[in-house]
Amino acid sequence: MKPVRLEQLGPAHRAAYQAMVREWQELAGAYPFNDGELALRDFDAFLGDVALEGDSPSGPDGVFRQISYMIVASDGEVLGELRFRPWLEAPYRSHHGHVACNVRPSRRGQGVARAAFAAVLDIAARDFGLPVVTADVEGENPASVRVLLHAGSRLVLEETRPDSSRVRWFECPTVVLPPTRAM
């Protein structure tokens, strides 16, 4: 896997973001995250919505306050999108951020989510002082569970929703300290 960096979503990502949305549409019929249709139709309006998501306690249509990042390879290729909600409390508890990540279908299975999750853990600790972040896995998604466990996450809650769907909540420390040696 190439090294990745997280870049806050902005005007420079127009073509790459739209290409990512089109890739999802071709494979899945729709882009299931953010408003892909608006991003294709009017990227500036889409960025306006994204800005609202970052500036207000409850963004448009009940979206929780979040920061949208592009997952970018060292060569500039956009590999996916990551959303981080560092200001949430219940049900994520105080001092916990929430992370959601989606990788372009053509880049899955290449370590992108693992690298992006490591990068957001650094941002959570360095920029927001969060000792822990949370992430949820809906349905059966063994790849996401592997990413979270590899990062040191632990399962804290498993529930079945009223629609019978399954969701598992994980917590992950942002700073992993090496074990201390006995003297």
Side-chain angles (χ1 to χ4, degrees):
M1 174 61 227
K2 307 176 213 177
V4 303
R5 65 184 180 274
L6 299 180
E7 295 178 0
Q8 199 161 345
L9 179 61
H13 299 109
R14 175 188 311 265
Y17 194 91
Q18 290 174 334
M20 180 180 66
V21 169
R22 285 188 200 95
E23 182 178 325
W24 274 93
Q25 288 176 328
E26 289 171 13
L27 293 171
Y31 184 65
F33 317 98
N34 276 338
D35 190 344
E37 289 299 323
L38 181 59
L40 292 175
R41 189 175 60 253
D42 185 345
F43 197 74
D44 292 332
F46 169 72
L47 287 178
D49 280 358
V50 169
L52 283 175
E53 291 172 358
D55 291 337
S56 61
S58 181
D61 300 323
V63 172
F64 290 105
R65 187 174 178 198
Q66 64 185 2
I67 304 168
S68 290
Y69 293 99
M70 298 308 306
I71 306 166
V72 182
S74 57
D75 63 4
E77 179 187 6
V78 171
L79 306 171
E81 178 180 19
L82 184 140
R83 288 161 315 285
F84 177 45
R85 298 172 179 163
W87 305 282
L88 288 185
E89 291 183 17
Y92 310 104
R93 302 196 323 215
S94 183
H95 307 300
H96 288 55
H98 179 257
V99 177
C101 180
N102 57 287
V103 176
R104 290 178 80 142
S106 62
R107 296 295 177 246
R108 288 184 170 181
Q110 299 174 20
V112 173
R114 185 178 283 188
F117 195 69
V120 81
L121 289 176
D122 183 57
I123 290 169
R126 183 187 66 236
D127 297 349
F128 295 94
L130 297 176
V132 175
V133 299
T134 63
D136 64 302
V137 176
E138 296 181 358
E140 298 305 318
N141 189 338
S144 291
V145 171
R146 283 192 303 273
V147 166
L148 295 173
L149 293 176
H150 181 268
S153 299
R154 66 184 181 86
L155 179 67
V156 293
L157 178 66
E158 188 167 351
E159 61 187 352
T160 302
R161 293 184 173 156
D163 67 359
S164 298
S165 64
R166 176 182 179 202
V167 63
R168 291 168 284 175
W169 290 93
F170 293 83
E171 288 184 341
C172 187
T174 58
V175 179
V176 178
L177 300 174
T180 57
R181 289 191 345 217
M183 294 284 194

